[in-house]
Amino acid sequence: MPKNSNISMSVIKRLPRYYRFLGELNRCGITRISSRELSIKMGLTASQIRQDFNCFGGFGQQGYGYNVTQLHIEIGNILGLNNGFKTILIGTGNLGRAIATHMSFEERGFNLIGIFDKNEATVGQLVRGLPIRHINGLDDFCREYHPTVAVLCIPSEHALEVEKQLVDLGIKGFWNFTHSDIASKYPDVVVENVHLSDSLMTLCYQVSSKFEERE
Amino acid sequence: MPKNSNISMSVIKRLPRYYRFLGELNRCGITRISSRELSIKMGLTASQIRQDFNCFGGFGQQGYGYNVTQLHIEIGNILGLNNGFKTILIGTGNLGRAIATHMSFEERGFNLIGIFDKNEATVGQLVRGLPIRHINGLDDFCREYHPTVAVLCIPSEHALEVEKQLVDLGIKGFWNFTHSDIASKYPDVVVENVHLSDSLMTLCYQVSSKFEERE
DNA sequence: TAGATTGTTAATCGATTAACAATC
DNA sequence: TAGATTGTTAATCGATTAACAATC
């Protein structure tokens, strides 16, 4: 039972990493871990780990530590990975295809049910076992299947129009690979941005300043 | 002339976004902007914008604001986008291909000079005008061309081995799409992680907690 | 000059870390 | 019980925001 939903973004962003590490420990047959041990493995402080977990309730036991299997499941539940949110993906360029083929949507709480593109030539092709549909069929599809999440892999130029259409069709969450600032336009919708080119520029800064160190 | 390199990560992460907005303003023919106006467009505070820019020097003019073109160029320089760091990409699965084909490496400070894969069958195929090379040729290639940055698009299972090889060959920066924690193993190397599945789980949390709101 | 807006210092806010009593 | 480790409160640190003198 979550204490409350006023969890800070800093904590939320760490949850997937905890989930990964605990899954790994679990796979290795480690059944028990203290915040201290975990802190060393993850490069965090033990304090932070205990604070983070306690946002959601007391999963540990004094004098013992945490049960790895149980904690792994708990964090999965907190993340909501069993929800299987109905999801559509728009845009089947290289990136869209890669995401559609490559991501374990099911293990991450989503269920990919439709793939769309505006290019007639690609319509009908199978990607991850799903036929690419023409974008003109988006309205009918959404009215029939009521997806809740959309993955946007279209060029930023077309984002404005498509995002409006999707919000009107009841989409509640976006995994957004475009540069369009959806969140500020539709405050009731949840948006997770992936700005690959920003990430690349951040790397550029870091490499550049590393090289300047000789001075 | 950068004041000093003790710039916090929070500031660095905002630079690419400033760069994008200023480029956009520039393209629209806007030549001048105040921190106040920019703050409204970007959803930040004017204070933060002025603080951020002043980490690198006084780019503005009292009573006037900032020159858009000049500021855009300055931030590009700070990011080091003209460096054209020699870059190789490892792994030509869907994601690797998408990244290779899709990213504007040149505009972001990099110069992609080699693509590698361990699958014999793909060797020789052209991706972005570059032939896929077999991973066995990695050593020779690096000794001849001295790339400084590597993009890792391989399965996490193989990351350990490849990253060691690359560090030994003199790679100084990684754009890392695997889950391997390169940074903690090689503290002298710069790493920018892109954890797509973490991002997706974060979205899952946000959508889940949004739906719980009705309670 | 008067008005505007920066650069910069001081105040506030939030996140991380340290400390320790509670308890298994 | 004694030892270990949590849950939680208090202290510290860093980042954001507010305020304002400097100056174009």
Side-chain angles (χ1 to χ4, degrees):
Chain A
M1 194 186 315
K3 276 186 179 174
N4 206 344
S5 282
N6 298 43
I7 311 293
S8 83
M9 228 350 126
S10 324
V11 176
I12 296 165
K13 295 258 184 219
R14 281 192 292 269
L15 292 179
R17 190 149 178 269
Y18 287 130
Y19 185 74
R20 271 198 281 124
F21 271 78
L22 289 162
E24 190 54 37
L25 290 169
N26 210 18
R27 222 168 297 122
C28 298
I30 294 165
T31 56
R32 164 188 166 178
I33 196 157
S34 70
S35 58
R36 176 113 224 291
E37 293 169 296
L38 190 58
S39 75
I40 292 163
K41 280 193 199 297
M42 297 188 63
L44 305 170
T45 64
S47 241
Q48 180 165 62
I49 289 174
R50 293 203 298 278
Q51 288 270 28
D52 283 354
F53 293 168
N54 266 82
C55 294
F56 305 100
F59 301 138
Q61 193 173 324
Q62 276 105 329
Y64 174 90
Y66 299 88
N67 177 306
V68 172
T69 310
Q70 185 212 329
L71 189 57
H72 184 240
I73 292 169
E74 292 282 10
I75 294 182
N77 288 338
I78 292 163
L79 285 165
L81 303 185
N82 301 320
N83 281 305
F85 294 118
K86 281 190 263 181
T87 302
I88 56 177
L89 182 146
I90 324 283
T92 60
N94 281 294
L95 185 64
R97 261 168 219 265
I99 297 297
T101 318
H102 186 265
M103 286 304 302
S104 311
F105 284 102
E106 294 72 17
E107 289 173 34
R108 312 295 182 224
F110 301 90
N111 180 15
L112 190 64
I113 60 169
I115 301 180
F116 295 84
D117 200 286
K118 65 163 199 170
N119 181 357
E120 295 277 7
T122 65
V123 169
Q125 286 178 16
L126 286 187
V127 175
R128 186 186 254 244
L130 292 169
I132 300 180
R133 295 162 193 273
H134 193 269
I135 190 82
N136 286 346
L138 185 60
D139 283 41
D140 287 349
F141 184 92
C142 291
R143 293 214 190 82
E144 182 165 359
Y145 297 107
H146 302 288
T148 50
V149 172
V151 183
L152 275 199
C153 298
I154 59 180
S156 295
E157 307 88 80
H158 305 138
L160 224 72
E161 183 192 358
V162 175
E163 75 201 30
K164 182 182 184 328
Q165 189 182 1
L166 288 166
V167 172
D168 290 346
L169 285 164
I171 292 292
K172 295 282 179 284
F174 284 89
W175 201 26
N176 178 34
F177 287 78
T178 81
H179 282 147
S180 182
D181 186 3
I182 305 174
S184 77
K185 277 170 271 173
Y186 306 100
D188 288 346
V189 150
V190 153
V191 183
E192 171 74 13
N193 292 308
V194 180
H195 291 326
L196 291 178
S197 63
D198 286 14
S199 168
L200 194 51
M201 286 191 265
T202 304
L203 177 63
C204 190
Y205 176 89
Q206 291 176 272
V207 176
S208 302
S209 47
K210 184 163 191 59
F211 275 73
E212 274 160 22
E213 270 171 27
R214 40 179 137 128
E215 163 267 5
Chain B
M1 197 185 318
K3 276 184 181 176
N4 206 344
S5 281
N6 300 44
I7 312 294
S8 82
M9 228 353 126
S10 325
V11 176
I12 296 167
K13 296 258 184 216
R14 283 192 291 269
L15 292 179
R17 189 150 177 268
Y18 288 130
Y19 186 75
R20 272 198 281 123
F21 271 78
L22 289 163
E24 190 55 37
L25 289 168
N26 210 16
R27 221 167 298 120
C28 298
I30 294 164
T31 57
R32 164 189 166 176
I33 197 158
S34 69
S35 57
R36 175 114 223 292
E37 293 169 297
L38 190 57
S39 76
I40 293 163
K41 280 193 199 300
M42 295 188 64
L44 305 171
T45 65
S47 240
Q48 181 164 63
I49 289 174
R50 292 203 298 280
Q51 290 269 29
D52 283 354
F53 293 169
N54 266 81
C55 293
F56 305 99
F59 300 138
Q61 193 174 325
Q62 276 107 329
Y64 174 89
Y66 299 88
N67 177 306
V68 172
T69 311
Q70 186 212 328
L71 189 57
H72 184 240
I73 292 168
E74 292 281 10
I75 294 180
N77 288 337
I78 292 162
L79 285 166
L81 302 186
N82 302 319
N83 281 305
F85 293 117
K86 281 189 264 180
T87 302
I88 55 177
L89 183 146
I90 324 283
T92 59
N94 281 295
L95 185 64
R97 260 167 218 266
I99 298 298
T101 320
H102 185 265
M103 285 304 301
S104 311
F105 284 103
E106 292 74 18
E107 290 173 33
R108 312 295 181 224
F110 301 91
N111 180 17
L112 190 66
I113 60 168
I115 301 180
F116 294 84
D117 201 286
K118 66 164 197 168
N119 181 358
E120 296 276 6
T122 65
V123 169
Q125 286 179 16
L126 286 186
V127 175
R128 187 189 255 243
L130 292 170
I132 300 180
R133 293 161 195 273
H134 193 270
I135 191 81
N136 286 346
L138 185 60
D139 282 41
D140 287 348
F141 184 93
C142 290
R143 293 214 191 83
E144 181 165 357
Y145 296 108
H146 303 286
T148 49
V149 172
V151 184
L152 274 201
C153 298
I154 58 180
S156 296
E157 305 89 82
H158 305 138
L160 223 72
E161 183 191 359
V162 175
E163 75 201 31
K164 182 180 184 333
Q165 189 182 3
L166 288 167
V167 172
D168 289 345
L169 286 164
I171 292 292
K172 295 282 179 285
F174 284 89
W175 201 24
N176 177 34
F177 287 79
T178 81
H179 281 147
S180 181
D181 186 3
I182 305 173
S184 77
K185 276 170 273 174
Y186 306 99
D188 288 346
V189 149
V190 152
V191 183
E192 172 74 15
N193 293 309
V194 180
H195 290 328
L196 291 178
S197 62
D198 286 14
S199 167
L200 194 52
M201 287 193 263
T202 305
L203 177 62
C204 190
Y205 176 89
Q206 291 177 272
V207 175
S208 303
S209 48
K210 185 164 189 60
F211 275 72
E212 274 161 23
E213 269 172 27
R214 39 180 136 125
E215 165 263 10

